Amino acid sequence: MQVVILAGGLGTRLRPLTEVVPKPMAPVQGRPFLEYLIQYLAAQGFRRYLLLVGYLGRHVQDHFGDGSSFGVGIEYAFEDSPLGTGGALRAALPRLESEFLLLYGDSFLPIDYRALTVDFRRSGLPAMVVVYDNRIAHTGVKNNVAIDGNGLVSWY
Protein backbone atom coordinates (compact mmCIF):
# COMPACT_ATOMS: atom_id res chain seq x y z
CA MET A 1 0.00 0.00 0.00
CA GLN A 2 1.23 3.48 -0.86
CA VAL A 3 1.95 5.93 1.95
CA VAL A 4 1.22 9.57 1.11
CA ILE A 5 2.69 12.12 3.48
CA LEU A 6 1.71 15.78 3.57
CA ALA A 7 4.98 17.65 4.05
CA GLY A 8 4.45 21.02 2.42
CA GLY A 9 3.18 23.38 5.12
CA LEU A 10 4.83 26.62 6.16
CA GLY A 11 5.32 25.66 9.82
CA THR A 12 4.69 29.19 11.04
CA ARG A 13 4.34 28.15 14.69
CA LEU A 14 7.90 26.79 14.70
CA ARG A 15 9.53 29.95 13.38
CA PRO A 16 12.35 30.94 13.30
CA LEU A 17 13.43 27.28 12.88
CA THR A 18 11.16 26.78 9.87
CA GLU A 19 12.63 29.74 8.06
CA VAL A 20 15.51 27.45 7.08
CA VAL A 21 13.96 23.94 7.16
CA PRO A 22 10.41 22.72 6.52
CA LYS A 23 8.52 21.60 9.62
CA PRO A 24 8.74 17.82 8.91
CA MET A 25 12.52 18.22 8.75
CA ALA A 26 12.78 19.85 12.19
CA PRO A 27 15.50 18.00 14.09
CA VAL A 28 14.55 15.68 16.94
CA GLN A 29 17.59 14.26 18.71
CA GLY A 30 19.71 15.11 15.70
CA ARG A 31 17.47 13.58 13.03
CA PRO A 32 14.59 15.06 11.01
CA PHE A 33 11.18 14.24 12.47
CA LEU A 34 10.02 12.85 9.12
CA GLU A 35 12.82 10.29 9.22
CA TYR A 36 11.33 8.76 12.37
CA LEU A 37 7.92 8.53 10.72
CA ILE A 38 9.22 6.88 7.54
CA GLN A 39 11.36 4.42 9.49
CA TYR A 40 8.42 3.53 11.74
CA LEU A 41 6.24 2.76 8.73
CA ALA A 42 9.05 0.96 6.89
CA ALA A 43 9.50 -1.33 9.91
CA GLN A 44 5.85 -2.32 9.39
CA GLY A 45 6.52 -3.20 5.77
CA PHE A 46 5.43 -0.05 3.94
CA ARG A 47 7.79 0.52 1.01
CA ARG A 48 6.13 2.97 -1.42
CA TYR A 49 5.95 6.66 -0.49
CA LEU A 50 4.71 9.80 -2.15
CA LEU A 51 5.74 12.95 -0.29
CA LEU A 52 3.61 16.01 -1.01
CA VAL A 53 6.09 18.83 -0.57
CA GLY A 54 5.96 22.57 -1.06
CA TYR A 55 7.67 25.08 1.20
CA LEU A 56 11.41 24.28 1.23
CA GLY A 57 10.56 20.91 -0.27
CA ARG A 58 14.03 20.51 -1.77
CA HIS A 59 15.35 20.00 1.78
CA VAL A 60 13.12 16.94 2.07
CA GLN A 61 14.18 15.60 -1.32
CA ASP A 62 17.87 16.29 -0.64
CA HIS A 63 17.71 14.32 2.61
CA PHE A 64 15.65 11.32 1.52
CA GLY A 65 16.43 11.14 -2.20
CA ASP A 66 14.77 8.13 -3.77
CA GLY A 67 14.47 6.49 -0.35
CA SER A 68 16.84 3.62 -1.12
CA SER A 69 19.13 4.45 1.80
CA PHE A 70 16.07 4.00 4.06
CA GLY A 71 14.98 0.76 2.41
CA VAL A 72 11.97 2.32 0.71
CA GLY A 73 11.00 4.01 -2.55
CA ILE A 74 10.14 7.70 -2.37
CA GLU A 75 8.60 9.94 -5.02
CA TYR A 76 7.73 13.60 -4.68
CA ALA A 77 4.86 15.82 -5.72
CA PHE A 78 5.88 19.48 -5.55
CA GLU A 79 3.43 22.34 -5.22
CA ASP A 80 4.60 25.72 -6.52
CA SER A 81 2.40 27.65 -4.11
CA PRO A 82 0.59 26.54 -0.94
CA LEU A 83 -2.52 24.56 -1.88
CA GLY A 84 -3.60 23.40 1.57
CA THR A 85 -4.28 19.79 2.53
CA GLY A 86 -7.06 19.18 0.02
CA GLY A 87 -5.30 21.09 -2.75
CA ALA A 88 -2.06 19.16 -2.35
CA LEU A 89 -3.95 15.88 -2.46
CA ARG A 90 -5.97 16.95 -5.49
CA ALA A 91 -2.82 18.03 -7.34
CA ALA A 92 -1.26 14.63 -6.65
CA LEU A 93 -4.38 12.70 -7.71
CA PRO A 94 -2.84 11.21 -10.88
CA ARG A 95 -0.02 9.72 -8.77
CA LEU A 96 -2.18 8.19 -6.05
CA GLU A 97 -2.75 4.46 -5.94
CA SER A 98 -6.27 3.10 -5.49
CA GLU A 99 -5.51 2.50 -1.79
CA PHE A 100 -3.20 4.70 0.25
CA LEU A 101 -2.46 5.85 3.75
CA LEU A 102 -2.53 9.63 4.14
CA LEU A 103 -0.49 11.03 7.01
CA TYR A 104 0.70 14.41 8.14
CA GLY A 105 4.47 14.78 8.04
CA ASP A 106 4.51 16.50 11.42
CA SER A 107 2.42 14.04 13.45
CA PHE A 108 3.30 10.68 14.93
CA LEU A 109 0.70 8.14 15.94
CA PRO A 110 2.30 4.94 17.33
CA ILE A 111 -0.18 2.41 15.98
CA ASP A 112 -0.04 -0.76 13.93
CA TYR A 113 -0.72 0.56 10.44
CA ARG A 114 -0.69 -2.98 8.99
CA ALA A 115 -3.60 -3.95 11.26
CA LEU A 116 -5.32 -0.72 10.30
CA THR A 117 -5.12 -1.58 6.60
CA VAL A 118 -6.52 -5.06 7.28
CA ASP A 119 -9.42 -3.56 9.24
CA PHE A 120 -10.04 -1.04 6.49
CA ARG A 121 -10.18 -3.68 3.77
CA ARG A 122 -12.54 -5.84 5.86
CA SER A 123 -14.85 -2.91 6.53
CA GLY A 124 -15.94 -2.49 2.92
CA LEU A 125 -16.05 1.26 3.48
CA PRO A 126 -14.62 3.69 0.91
CA ALA A 127 -12.41 5.47 3.45
CA MET A 128 -11.20 5.29 7.02
CA VAL A 129 -9.87 8.00 9.29
CA VAL A 130 -7.84 7.53 12.46
CA VAL A 131 -8.07 10.32 14.98
CA TYR A 132 -6.79 10.91 18.46
CA ASP A 133 -9.40 11.64 21.10
CA ASN A 134 -8.02 14.78 22.73
CA ARG A 135 -10.27 14.26 25.75
CA ILE A 136 -8.19 11.25 26.82
CA ALA A 137 -5.02 13.20 27.60
CA HIS A 138 -6.68 16.57 28.11
CA THR A 139 -4.51 18.32 25.56
CA GLY A 140 -6.64 21.44 25.62
CA VAL A 141 -7.30 21.05 21.90
CA LYS A 142 -10.94 20.59 20.95
CA ASN A 143 -11.80 17.43 19.01
CA ASN A 144 -12.72 18.29 15.43
CA VAL A 145 -14.23 14.97 14.33
CA ALA A 146 -17.60 13.74 15.57
CA ILE A 147 -18.18 9.99 15.85
CA ASP A 148 -21.60 8.34 15.98
CA GLY A 149 -22.57 5.35 18.13
CA ASN A 150 -21.26 2.93 15.48
CA GLY A 151 -17.83 4.52 15.40
CA LEU A 152 -18.49 6.22 12.06
CA VAL A 153 -17.68 9.85 11.33
CA SER A 154 -20.83 11.95 11.50
CA TRP A 155 -21.57 15.55 10.60
CA TYR A 156 -19.98 17.92 13.03
Side-chain angles (χ1 to χ4, degrees):
M1 179 177 285
Q2 180 185 44
V3 177
V4 179
I5 301 177
L6 295 157
L10 298 174
T12 55
R13 290 176 295 200
L14 284 181
R15 286 195 177 148
L17 173 66
T18 53
E19 290 174 357
V20 293
V21 296
K23 185 165 56 168
M25 297 300 289
V28 176
Q29 294 187 341
R31 293 172 40 208
F33 175 83
L34 185 56
E35 189 175 308
Y36 289 97
L37 182 59
I38 290 173
Q39 289 181 325
Y40 184 76
L41 291 159
Q44 294 185 37
F46 294 94
R47 298 285 178 255
R48 296 183 316 279
Y49 294 79
L50 177 62
L51 303 184
L52 309 184
V53 294
Y55 176 71
L56 299 176
R58 294 285 176 211
H59 289 273
V60 177
Q61 188 176 37
D62 289 346
H63 182 80
F64 291 102
D66 66 1
S68 59
S69 62
F70 296 91
V72 300
I74 299 177
E75 296 181 2
Y76 301 86
F78 284 86
E79 42 181 74
D80 295 327
S81 60
L83 300 172
T85 300
L89 198 56
R90 179 182 293 272
L93 195 59
R95 302 182 62 195
L96 299 177
E97 295 179 6
S98 61
E99 291 184 338
F100 61 91
L101 290 174
L102 178 65
L103 290 86
Y104 287 104
D106 61 355
S107 299
F108 188 88
L109 189 58
I111 64 171
D112 182 343
Y113 286 94
R114 277 284 163 206
L116 176 76
T117 60
V118 169
D119 288 346
F120 166 65
R121 288 176 177 146
R122 285 184 184 153
S123 76
L125 295 170
M128 178 183 281
V129 62
V130 176
V131 296
Y132 179 79
D133 187 346
N134 291 323
R135 298 171 299 180
I136 294 172
H138 306 291
T139 63
V141 177
K142 182 181 175 194
N143 282 340
N144 56 9
V145 176
I147 307 296
D148 69 15
N150 297 317
L152 300 174
V153 174
S154 63
W155 292 106
Y156 188 66

